Amino acid sequence: MNAIRRNTPAVQAEVAADYNGLPHARITDHNDEAHVFTTGLPELELWWLALGGHITREPAGRGVVLWTLLTDTDHGHGAPVRVLAPALDTDQIDPAIAHAVRPHAA
């Protein structure tokens, strides 16, 4: 008999990823939100195109930045999702979605 999984933010993010064909390396629950780990900016951009939200960029070490998409699983009505994409500090986000980038709030 299969165990029933709780409907956590990570489970909801997995469903959203499957439904929208979104790439990811790992999805976990953390502080009542889903954390989705991607391999870089192209994957984060696909999540933004599917779910919207806003994007921040912050230093993550010498020559490295962490881009973060803050969104949810259902266009403002779903579980909170934080999509994370490490990148070189010289990598740039697609200009077509640059308007979604916001200053990082501490």
Side-chain angles (χ1 to χ4, degrees), residues 22-102:
L22 298 171
H24 57 85
R26 179 179 177 193
I27 298 177
T28 64
D29 282 306
H30 186 72
N31 295 334
D32 297 323
E33 66 184 7
H35 283 202
V36 177
F37 296 86
T38 66
T39 60
L41 284 175
E43 291 184 2
L44 180 134
E45 291 164 355
L46 290 172
W47 278 81
W48 182 86
L49 289 170
L51 299 174
H54 70 271
I55 299 168
T56 62
R57 177 184 187 267
E58 61 185 290
R62 186 174 178 176
V64 177
V65 295
L66 182 64
W67 291 84
T68 304
L69 167 63
L70 303 169
T71 189
D72 65 74
T73 56
D74 190 21
H75 306 285
H77 305 286
V81 178
R82 193 173 291 258
V83 182
L84 306 159
L88 296 174
D89 63 0
T90 55
D91 292 347
Q92 297 297 312
I93 201 149
D94 185 328
I97 66 169
H99 63 279
V101 177
R102 305 282 187 269

